[in-house]
């Protein structure tokens, strides 16, 4: 049974090295950052990357939303190794070597497209209290090419081997044609395609590509802010998160054999999910505010926990419980890191 789980999860996205440091409000203001946000780096952020590495207690961790989730799913399941396959683009440099090493340590079957025109991407995680402002400098991650990597026979075979697929909305800015090729394969073969709204800017500025993929989405993830932004951009006449979930569920769907599942997390508030015709709330694990180290990676961890149970065909309630467990572990640690073994039953 276990061998059938090898490469059963496929992820594709932006492999980034997280550079994480505690900053103050002046630092956020200086670079025009909101305390809790995800944005793409622009020219005016160049100095931010130079400044953040000089902070005391700066930490480097393998990151990138989709890659984080695949790693967490592997950690939750433990055995066999290489449950998850991951595709993305890196540079031929020291940061790229670190990402390869970290993927091996996490037992993820990473197949990177390596090029030398751009350096490996980085993400500055600017931590203030239990908020995190993420500034991604995609660099190499932005150079992923369908014809140079996804279309290669040995790589496409790995795609075909999977049963559950996860691509964060962030990858829409890089290679929508790669996402579409994978999504069509999933739909045609009645497998499970999962996507994440990822950040408000995706729903705002990559709307057209997002909606091209939406008919193929079997499981849609997002947090309360992303859900609200998506609803506004789509002209849903509601701000009620349960109604937004229902409206997302009812968007056009390609494979009618599977009813779309919509899952919205809300930080410490209940998670909202569509269960058949109903919208149900699931409380998160109670935690003392003082136990929270940083919330960076909480959403990725939730998805990773959820995917770990989806791969072994557990019911939705179990998937959500696993997501809550993983997120609870991650927020008590720096970045998206985890102890040696999970304690999830």
């Amino acid at each position: 049974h276990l061998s059938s789980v090898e490469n059963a999860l496929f992820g594709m996205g932006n492999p980034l090295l997280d550079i994480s440091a505690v900053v103050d409000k002046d630092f956020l203001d200086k670079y025009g950052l909101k305390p809790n946000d995800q944005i793409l780096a622009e020219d005016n952020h160049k100095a931010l990357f130079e400044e953040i590495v000089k902070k005391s207690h700066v930490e480097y961790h393998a990151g990138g939303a989709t890659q984080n989730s695949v790693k967490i799913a592997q950690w939750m399941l433990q055995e066999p190794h290489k449950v998850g396959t991951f595709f993305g683009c890196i540079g031929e440099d020291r940061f790229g070597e670190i990402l390869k090493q970290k993927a091996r340590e996490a037992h993820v079957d990473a197949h990177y497209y390596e090029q030398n025109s751009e350096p490996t991407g980085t993400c500055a995680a600017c931590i203030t209290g239990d908020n995190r402002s993420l500034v991604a400098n995609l660099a190499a991650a932005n150079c992923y090419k369908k014809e140079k990597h996804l279309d290669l026979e040995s790589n496409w075979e790995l795609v075909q081997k999977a049963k559950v697929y996860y691509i964060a909305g962030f990858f829409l800015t890089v290679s929508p044609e790669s996402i579409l090729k994978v999504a069509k394969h999933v739909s045609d073969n009645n497998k499970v395609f999962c996507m994440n709204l990822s950040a408000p800017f995706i729903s705002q500025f990559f709307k057209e590509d997002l909606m091209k993929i939406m008919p193929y989405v079997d499981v849609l993830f997002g947090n309360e802010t992303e859900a609200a932004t998506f609803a506004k951009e789509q002209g849903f006449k509601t701000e009620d998160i349960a109604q937004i979930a229902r409206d997302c569920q009812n968007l056009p769907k390609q494979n009618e054999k599977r009813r779309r599942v919509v899952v919205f997390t809300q930080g410490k508030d209940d998670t909202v999910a569509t269960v058949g015709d109903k919208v149900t709330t699931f409380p998160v694990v109670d935690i003392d505010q003082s136990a929270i180290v940083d919330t960076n990676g909480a959403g990725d961890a939730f998805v990773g926990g959820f995917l770990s149970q989806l791969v072994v065909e557990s019911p939705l309630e179990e998937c959500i419980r696993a997501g809550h467990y993983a997120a609870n572990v991650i927020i008590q640690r720096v970045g998206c890191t985890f102890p040696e073994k999970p304690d999830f039953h």
Side-chain angles (χ1 to χ4, degrees), residues 49 64 92 101 104 133 168-169 244 254 264 266 288 295:
F49 286 87
E92 295 172 357
Q101 179 58 33
R104 279 193 296 271
S133 198
I244 294 172
Q254 190 71 28
F264 291 146
Q266 309 187 80
D288 201 306
T295 54

Side-chain angles (χ1 to χ4, degrees), residues 325-345:
Y325 168 79
N328 179 266
V329 170
I330 268 38
I331 60 179
Q332 299 181 59
R333 305 169 67 91
V334 173
C336 196
T337 60
F338 35 85
E340 195 187 341
K341 284 197 161 72
D343 180 24
F344 177 77
H345 305 289

Side-chain angles (χ1 to χ4, degrees), residues 279-344:
V279 177
T280 310
T281 56
F282 299 85
V284 302
V285 184
D286 272 333
I287 185 168
D288 201 306
Q289 198 68 19
S290 64
I292 299 176
V293 175
D294 83 54
T295 54
N296 187 21
D300 301 338
F302 174 83
V303 171
F306 188 103
L307 294 171
S308 74
Q309 297 308 299
L310 200 54
V311 164
V312 294
E313 295 170 21
S314 298
L316 178 69
E317 291 71 13
E318 276 302 283
C319 295
I320 291 174
R321 197 169 71 83
H324 285 163
Y325 168 79
N328 179 266
V329 170
I330 268 38
I331 60 179
Q332 299 181 59
R333 305 169 67 91
V334 173
C336 196
T337 60
F338 35 85
E340 195 187 341
K341 284 197 161 72
D343 180 24
F344 177 77

Side-chain angles (χ1 to χ4, degrees), residues 218-284:
D218 297 302
V219 181
L220 180 68
F221 296 106
N223 68 21
E224 72 278 41
T225 322
E226 294 148 11
T229 305
F230 181 75
K232 196 165 144 232
E233 291 293 327
Q234 293 301 315
F236 295 171
K237 299 281 182 274
T238 181
E239 289 176 14
D240 175 68
I241 192 139
Q243 187 56 47
I244 294 172
R246 194 176 284 113
D247 289 349
C248 288
Q249 183 182 39
N250 292 330
L251 288 167
K253 182 117 177 16
Q254 190 71 28
N255 175 12
E256 291 174 353
K257 295 193 197 87
R258 290 183 188 276
R259 185 97 191 256
R260 183 179 293 123
V261 173
V262 180
V263 185
F264 291 146
T265 57
Q266 309 187 80
K268 58 184 182 304
D269 296 325
D270 294 1
T271 293
V272 173
T274 58
V275 184
D277 291 328
K278 294 200 296 292
V279 177
T280 310
T281 56
F282 299 85
V284 302

Side-chain angles (χ1 to χ4, degrees), residues 77-94:
L77 290 168
Q78 292 286 307
E79 298 288 327
H81 290 166
K82 299 191 174 179
V83 168
T85 311
F86 179 78
F87 288 3
C89 182
I90 60 175
E92 295 172 357
D93 50 28
R94 189 173 71 87

Side-chain angles (χ1 to χ4, degrees), residues 179-254:
I179 304 177
L180 200 55
K181 181 177 181 178
V182 171
K184 283 181 172 163
H185 164 80
V186 178
S187 179
D188 292 346
N189 292 279
N190 193 30
K191 298 194 278 191
V192 185
F193 186 80
C194 311
M195 191 146 198
N196 205 316
L197 293 174
S198 289
F201 80 85
I202 299 291
S203 294
Q204 291 166 310
F205 307 117
F206 295 88
K207 196 186 312 195
E208 201 180 317
D209 286 322
L210 176 61
M211 296 321 286
K212 268 191 204 132
I213 307 294
M214 196 58 77
Y216 300 97
V217 177
D218 297 302
V219 181
L220 180 68
F221 296 106
N223 68 21
E224 72 278 41
T225 322
E226 294 148 11
T229 305
F230 181 75
K232 196 165 144 232
E233 291 293 327
Q234 293 301 315
F236 295 171
K237 299 281 182 274
T238 181
E239 289 176 14
D240 175 68
I241 192 139
Q243 187 56 47
I244 294 172
R246 194 176 284 113
D247 289 349
C248 288
Q249 183 182 39
N250 292 330
L251 288 167
K253 182 117 177 16
Q254 190 71 28

